[in-house]
Amino acid sequence: MKKYIIVSTYPEYGSKNIGDQLITSALIDVIKFTKGANVEIDIVWREDSWENIKERVFNADAVVFACLAIRPNMSVKEYPFLKNLLKENIPLAVVSAGTSIPVSCVKKSVLNYVSNETKEQLLSLDRNAIFFTTRGYLTQFFCESIGLSNVVFSGDVAFFNQRYKDVSFVEGKKINKIVISDPHHSKLYLRSFNALVLALRAKYNDAEIVVALHGNDAAIKEYVNRSGLKYIEVFKDKDKGLSIYDSADLHVGYRVHAHVSSLKRGVYSYLLEQDGRGCDYGLTINRKISVPSYCQPRGLLEKFMGKFGFNRYAVGVSPVDQIISLVSQDEVLGFHKFLGLEKQLATFSDDIINSIKKLP
């Protein structure tokens, strides 16, 4: 029996971001679909220690990184055991790597996103990995720009789900239920979030509107309680919470994996891009269905003051006006632009299946 280790980004004891669980679950599903249901799969948390995981790693046929989180100093925080893995003769693979490049920073090129140590580790991983794929065009560009030569674009593994493989977008669907996904950095985005809620309430006053809380965020929960909004803490059910999008007609919000979850179900979806992660999807999806809504980079002092409510970097409402104008005109046209988009999404799954076939 084959045994694979998945390095997961799901923070079980932190924010409980359900999008990260979706990534892990989808990767498990695609491995079993491709390699057989009787494979053994073990999950390790990306911030675990080498001492805790090394015995399990040495007994595995391969270690697979689920949406490798490329960050400036990966071996310091995100993957403290990465340097140990790279020293050993262990088969490694990367599925749908992603970045969070500070796209709102005008002073810094994407080429300067990571430290020299992280760059060397990525180059080593690229040279030695069975395969190394990325989930977005910006991430792919970054990887190629720093010298990775084996990396290829595949799209996000989270789009994989055999249950929805035959789903197609339908033109002119009536909007009876809207799901709004909550923002990261809620204190900076409360004004934006409030504007979005008010705009959708005004435009669709007969529709059911539900807020999906993708992470454990006290500030955004306080807001929805105060506003009398219907909400569901989807992060509390990591396996079935995202089924909220099964019954949606429209999603508008901030979470990239709310966007993914909606699109793969054939639900009209619009994303407010908060950072380099959202930008990655905005560049990659073959339709204009997202709008940048970036906050300006903050220094340590601004981040500290923000904890006490002094958020002079709070995001404005213009991106909300832009996204509502996009939704409004698309509705006039019957949401025709979504037709056929499922074909691009299917190529993501096909490419990832072909990569997984290379695992020993």
Side-chain angles (χ1 to χ4, degrees):
M1 179 186 293
K2 293 294 184 180
K3 180 177 180 179
Y4 301 112
I5 299 284
I6 291 178
V7 182
S8 173
T9 60
Y10 175 63
E12 185 175 0
Y13 301 105
S15 68
K16 299 183 180 180
N17 183 345
I18 197 170
D20 290 304
Q21 178 59 35
L22 172 62
I23 292 166
T24 301
S25 298
L27 181 53
I28 292 171
D29 289 345
V30 74
I31 289 175
K32 289 185 175 182
F33 175 79
T34 307
K35 307 297 285 187
N38 63 341
V39 297
E40 183 179 345
I41 297 177
D42 193 6
I43 311 297
V44 301
W45 165 232
R46 63 173 170 81
E47 292 184 27
D48 209 339
S49 69
W50 177 242
E51 289 301 314
N52 283 345
I53 71 167
K54 65 180 182 181
E55 184 175 347
R56 294 148 72 187
V57 164
F58 286 133
N59 290 323
D61 291 288
V63 174
V64 186
F65 289 87
C67 287
L68 178 77
I70 297 175
R71 299 294 184 267
N73 295 288
M74 290 169 55
S75 64
V76 175
K77 183 179 186 298
E78 285 78 18
Y79 300 95
F81 52 79
L82 179 57
K83 54 183 176 291
N84 301 97
L85 274 178
L86 292 171
K87 291 177 183 177
E88 305 294 341
N89 188 27
I90 299 168
L92 304 175
V94 176
V95 174
S96 304
T99 55
S100 187
I101 291 171
V103 287
S104 61
C105 182
V106 297
K107 296 180 181 179
K108 194 172 184 179
S109 166
V110 297
L111 305 184
N112 299 319
Y113 175 55
V114 299
S115 67
N116 288 333
E117 180 184 24
T118 295
K119 178 180 176 181
E120 291 304 315
Q121 290 171 342
L122 289 170
L123 287 166
S124 177
L125 188 53
D126 178 63
R127 286 191 300 269
N128 295 294
I130 302 166
F131 58 85
F132 191 135
T133 73
T134 63
R135 71 185 187 186
Y137 290 169
L138 184 60
T139 298
Q140 180 68 24
F141 171 73
F142 164 77
C143 289
E144 292 175 352
S145 297
I146 65 169
L148 276 61
S149 58
N150 295 314
V151 65
V152 295
F153 168 76
S154 68
D156 192 341
V157 66
F159 280 107
F160 180 84
N161 190 311
Q162 285 297 99
R163 177 183 169 189
Y164 307 112
K165 67 182 179 67
D166 296 322
V167 166
S168 298
F169 286 94
V170 177
E171 188 172 7
K173 192 173 183 182
K174 181 174 173 54
I175 306 303
N176 294 313
K177 181 177 180 179
I178 301 168
V179 178
I180 305 173
S181 60
D182 59 328
H184 295 279
H185 316 298
S186 59
K187 291 181 179 178
L188 293 175
Y189 277 85
L190 277 178
R191 183 168 58 177
S192 168
F193 185 69
N194 180 62
L196 179 62
V197 169
L198 293 177
L200 288 172
R201 275 179 159 176
K203 179 171 176 54
Y204 296 103
N205 52 21
D206 293 328
E208 177 187 5
I209 298 179
V210 183
V211 176
L213 302 182
H214 279 236
N216 188 13
D217 187 321
I220 205 74
K221 185 177 178 180
E222 179 187 354
Y223 169 86
V224 293
N225 274 320
R226 189 171 66 247
S227 303
L229 285 163
K230 182 179 178 180
Y231 69 92
I232 298 177
E233 296 174 289
V234 298
F235 68 89
K236 287 188 173 180
D237 187 346
K238 66 178 185 178
D239 296 315
K240 297 181 180 178
L242 293 173
S243 63
I244 189 174
Y245 297 102
D246 287 343
S247 58
D249 300 305
L250 172 68
H251 160 260
V252 187
Y254 304 83
R255 297 280 180 158
V256 294
H257 284 107
H259 198 43
V260 170
S261 297
S262 300
L263 292 174
K264 73 181 182 182
R265 288 168 167 82
V267 174
Y268 309 141
S269 182
Y270 296 83
L271 178 69
L272 285 156
E273 305 169 16
Q274 289 194 264
D275 51 29
R277 291 169 294 182
C279 177
D280 225 1
Y281 291 82
L283 294 173
T284 304
I285 303 298
N286 287 343
R287 301 291 189 275
K288 176 60 178 177
I289 50 177
S290 67
V291 170
S293 183
Y294 308 140
C295 58
Q296 293 301 310
R298 298 177 296 156
L300 292 177
L301 176 60
E302 288 83 2
K303 290 180 180 179
F304 175 77
M305 296 298 287
K307 294 180 180 179
F308 298 94
F310 299 99
N311 288 320
R312 64 190 180 98
Y313 287 82
V315 175
V317 301
S318 176
V320 171
D321 294 337
Q322 295 170 44
I323 207 87
I324 295 298
S325 70
L326 189 58
V327 173
S328 298
Q329 190 57 33
D330 284 350
E331 184 176 32
V332 170
L333 300 173
F335 296 102
H336 180 81
K337 70 164 50 165
F338 285 91
L339 297 186
L341 180 56
E342 67 274 1
K343 295 176 183 177
Q344 184 194 18
L345 308 184
T347 65
F348 299 159
S349 294
D350 290 343
D351 288 346
I352 288 168
I353 287 170
N354 287 332
S355 295
I356 296 297
K357 287 179 180 178
K358 300 175 184 177
L359 289 175

